[in-house]
Amino acid sequence: MVSRVIPVDAFDLVLFGATGDLARRKILPGLFHRFVVGQMPQEARIIGSARSAMARDAFVALTRESLLEFSPTAREQGEALERFLETINYVQVDASGEEGWQTLAKALRAGTVRAFYLSVSPSLFGPIARNLKEHGIATDQSRIVVEKPFGHDLASARVLNAELLQNFDEQQIFRIDHYLGKETVQNLMALRFANSLWEPLWNATHVDHVQITVAESLGVEGRGEYYDRSGAMRDMVQNHLMQLLCLIAMEPPSKFTSDSVRDEKVKVIEALEPVAQSDIVRGQYRARDGNGSYRDHAGDPNSTTESFIAIKVNIGNWRWAGTPFYLRTGKKLRARTSEIAIVFRDPPHMIFPKMEGRRGNAMILRLQPDEGITLRNTIKEPGPGGFRLAEVTMDMTFADALTQDAAPQDAYERLIMDVIRGDQTLFMRGDEVEAAWAWTDPLIEGWQDAGLKPAPYDPGGSGPEDSLMLLHREGRRWREIEE
Ligand code: NAP
């Protein structure tokens, strides 16, 4: 397969929080990679901005250091690296103050697409949006990109939306969820809507249940205090897992435009049924082998925040009534892996001898570590000696199916190029975020009001025992968490 890289037009990208962790690990390396493959033109400009005073040379040196540390190819791309660094500038701005905005305005070119990437605390979204507008920096050709967390609950998400909307139109606001930039996730849409094979099966008549797992092997060390204010539900379910659920469950949009796709996603969120507390399992990892517990890392010996959550979700519409979606995510689990499993129903009548351990047909969409899609089928076990069944998987691993050039790009780089092109399909619309919080808030209030505490679980496993029971009690089981 031949890859086609279509360069975007020249742009000015202002990266607020340019000295921070996310900018250094993801955003700058992502831009560099797009530069190397020829998508980001030499005429583009990246203006790093932060509160610290720093000369251009110092920021260029910091960028070089970040790329050598976090970009797998920077070392072999010395010449491209130097050319990329020519596109870099730095302007000191205190986002909540008055200093620096005029200098920033002067650093930008007229008539060029402007992207403002807010890789800063959400408390600065409002002040930055306001200052960009008041200082005449935000033009009609501008886009503003905001990072998660987008709110802590419905009320705070509404405030953030209102602050952004006072200064930018919804068409200019790009709320990033990097899960949507993953190749597999976009392929889910291609599989569903570019093939006639799957759509007839994509409903409660044929799908027994869906599992969405986002497992991490690390704990919350280093960011325990921040995490303790959110927990797995707010940090992962309300955004990432919800987005994945929407893409699986949504109706086919009539067009592949950002609003058609997002309209369908909002309908799914609005169709989610309230969840009983008995369908929610929350957990907190214990200490083991000299490694601290969640509570040690959170710095609160009485914390009741969950580092693991599993939820059974029902979608109240014609397509999905009777097909539960099981979501699970957690820290300190056996492996770092993210996947979606669409598990199909058994044939209505089986003519072959019972096969021990048969799991049945499933489509597994793997998001990490290796992106790809596999299909589990039942076949006859090869060879003589009776008619026995075996399960095999058909593999659609992207690294094999595509050329080197087209190998999956990091989600961030794909999404940043979409921002420059003004394509919002893979970004969350304001009403979508609010709908997700409107579903999430009562679940959190439910366990808080009932004083429910998370169950302890051992690190390195698959979470609390009760999470397994969530499926066992209905004759189902989770897929193993493994690399
Ligand atoms: P970080 O390492 O703490 O960096 C924060 C950046 O913001 C620094 O460049 C800092 O510059 C700048 N900043 C702080 N106050 C400022 C002000 N008043 N005016 C101008 N600049 C200011 O944070 P991060 O980890 O990169 O995260 C940035 C945002 O992305 C956060 O909202 C975070 O929740 C979100 N996020 C992060 C990750 C991740 O992997 N790190 C993942 C998803 C989402 P100075 O040092 O000069 O003050």
Side-chain angles (χ1 to χ4, degrees):
M1 214 178 290
V2 179
S3 109
R4 283 187 304 128
V5 174
I6 302 167
V8 296
D9 291 339
F11 59 86
D12 285 348
L13 184 141
V14 182
L15 178 54
F16 290 97
T19 56
D21 175 70
L22 182 68
R24 295 182 59 244
R25 266 188 323 107
K26 290 287 181 189
I27 303 170
L28 290 166
L31 284 161
F32 173 61
H33 195 203
R34 290 296 95 201
F35 183 82
V36 169
V37 298
Q39 196 165 23
M40 171 180 154
Q42 182 78 54
E43 299 71 39
R45 292 284 169 270
I46 298 168
I47 296 134
S49 180
R51 198 171 30 181
S52 309
M54 200 182 274
R56 175 182 181 268
D57 286 354
F59 182 65
V60 167
L62 180 70
T63 306
R64 179 185 281 112
E65 199 183 289
S66 309
L67 296 179
L68 291 173
E69 187 176 354
F70 297 113
S71 160
T73 57
R75 280 185 196 285
E76 298 108 59
Q77 302 277 358
E79 187 265 336
L81 177 58
E82 294 313 313
R83 280 194 295 113
F84 177 75
L85 293 174
E86 286 169 17
T87 69
I88 303 269
N89 201 347
Y90 182 82
V91 176
Q92 178 193 2
V93 177
D94 180 353
S96 49
E98 286 303 310
E99 300 300 309
W101 297 103
Q102 295 304 338
T103 317
L104 181 61
K106 286 194 195 111
L108 296 169
R109 295 168 291 183
T112 306
V113 166
R114 293 179 178 180
F116 304 104
Y117 197 126
L118 276 47
S119 179
V120 292
S121 152
S123 62
L124 296 174
F125 293 174
I128 292 179
R130 181 171 37 77
N131 274 306
L132 289 172
K133 188 74 176 184
E134 282 177 3
H135 291 87
I137 301 171
T139 59
D140 290 349
Q141 280 212 57
S142 295
R143 305 131 173 38
I144 188 161
V145 187
V146 291
E147 268 295 338
K148 85 170 214 190
F150 199 84
H152 185 74
D153 52 18
L154 177 58
S156 53
R158 280 186 174 149
V159 170
L160 286 179
N161 272 336
E163 286 176 340
L164 292 173
L165 286 165
Q166 270 162 21
N167 301 293
F168 288 84
D169 292 340
E170 181 63 41
Q171 289 71 24
Q172 297 178 291
I173 304 171
F174 289 72
R175 297 172 194 79
I176 216 162
D177 184 325
H178 68 276
Y179 273 62
L180 294 183
K182 289 186 181 289
E183 200 73 17
T184 320
V185 175
Q186 293 164 59
N187 239 313
L188 178 56
M189 282 193 280
L191 265 181
R192 283 194 61 192
F193 306 131
N195 297 286
S196 53
L197 200 56
W198 300 110
E199 204 47 32
L201 304 179
W202 216 261
N203 53 52
T205 309
H206 299 286
V207 177
D208 178 72
H209 70 280
V210 175
Q211 302 184 10
I212 305 178
T213 298
V214 177
E216 292 175 54
S217 52
L218 296 177
V220 296
E221 302 92 327
R223 55 190 286 265
E225 252 181 69
Y226 157 79
Y227 186 90
D228 202 47
R229 289 192 293 275
S230 95
M233 183 70 167
R234 290 189 169 100
D235 191 48
M236 298 298 293
V237 177
Q238 185 274 342
N239 38 54
H240 305 313
L241 278 80
M242 177 74 77
Q243 289 296 316
L244 299 179
L245 178 145
C246 284
L247 290 177
I248 303 161
M250 71 182 186
E251 294 300 315
S254 59
K255 298 187 270 311
F256 192 48
T257 61
S258 55
D259 275 335
S260 300
V261 171
R262 297 185 303 176
D263 285 347
E264 296 306 334
K265 284 164 62 194
V266 173
K267 285 184 209 161
V268 173
I269 303 175
E270 286 172 347
L272 296 180
E273 294 187 346
V275 181
Q277 290 296 322
S278 55
D279 286 339
I280 303 176
V281 177
R282 294 163 63 239
Q284 242 183 21
Y285 61 82
R286 294 193 180 98
R288 199 175 68 179
D289 302 335
N291 293 314
S293 67
Y294 172 79
R295 288 179 173 189
D296 295 333
H297 294 150
D300 176 359
N302 301 313
S303 168
T304 57
T305 303
E306 73 284 355
S307 59
F308 174 97
I309 191 163
I311 314 179
K312 177 185 171 189
V313 180
N314 289 309
I315 304 175
N317 63 20
W318 277 42
R319 186 185 284 265
W320 294 116
T323 294
F325 283 56
Y326 299 98
L327 316 182
R328 114 184 120 157
T329 181
K331 306 273 184 196
K332 283 268 189 216
L333 299 177
R334 187 174 302 122
R336 176 173 179 262
T337 177
S338 304
E339 64 167 41
I340 300 165
I342 321 277
V343 182
F344 292 93
R345 295 195 191 281
D346 283 337
H349 172 65
M350 193 48 123
I351 58 172
F352 302 112
K354 192 170 173 350
M355 177 196 159
E356 267 326 301
R358 181 176 183 280
R359 291 169 299 169
N361 296 132
M363 180 190 283
I364 319 295
L365 299 119
R366 202 164 162 90
L367 276 53
Q368 63 186 22
D370 305 311
E371 289 200 59
I373 300 174
T374 53
L375 281 176
R376 195 170 61 210
N377 278 290
T378 305
I379 59 159
K380 176 191 167 295
E381 197 176 286
F387 202 104
R388 289 186 304 274
L389 299 178
E391 287 190 329
V392 291
T393 49
M394 285 164 63
D395 227 316
M396 292 190 270
T397 306
F398 299 131
D400 297 340
L402 305 176
T403 63
Q404 192 62 33
D405 268 2
Q409 32 178 319
D410 183 81
Y412 272 97
E413 41 188 283
R414 156 76 202 235
L415 293 173
I416 297 170
M417 291 300 110
D418 281 358
V419 171
I420 305 300
R421 281 189 287 253
D423 182 349
Q424 293 184 302
T425 311
L426 299 175
F427 295 81
M428 293 176 293
R429 209 168 53 193
D431 57 341
E432 210 180 326
V433 176
E434 290 184 13
W437 280 120
W439 177 79
T440 309
D441 280 358
L443 274 56
I444 297 174
E445 281 157 21
W447 70 62
Q448 284 174 344
D449 291 350
L452 299 175
K453 298 201 169 49
Y457 64 91
D458 286 330
S462 47
E465 188 70 22
D466 284 352
S467 143
L468 305 181
M469 290 312 297
L470 196 63
L471 272 74
H472 279 189
R473 69 186 188 195
E474 292 166 354
R476 302 180 172 116
R477 64 185 154 134
W478 289 108
R479 285 171 48 79
E480 288 295 327
I481 293 177
E482 54 195 8
E483 290 273 330

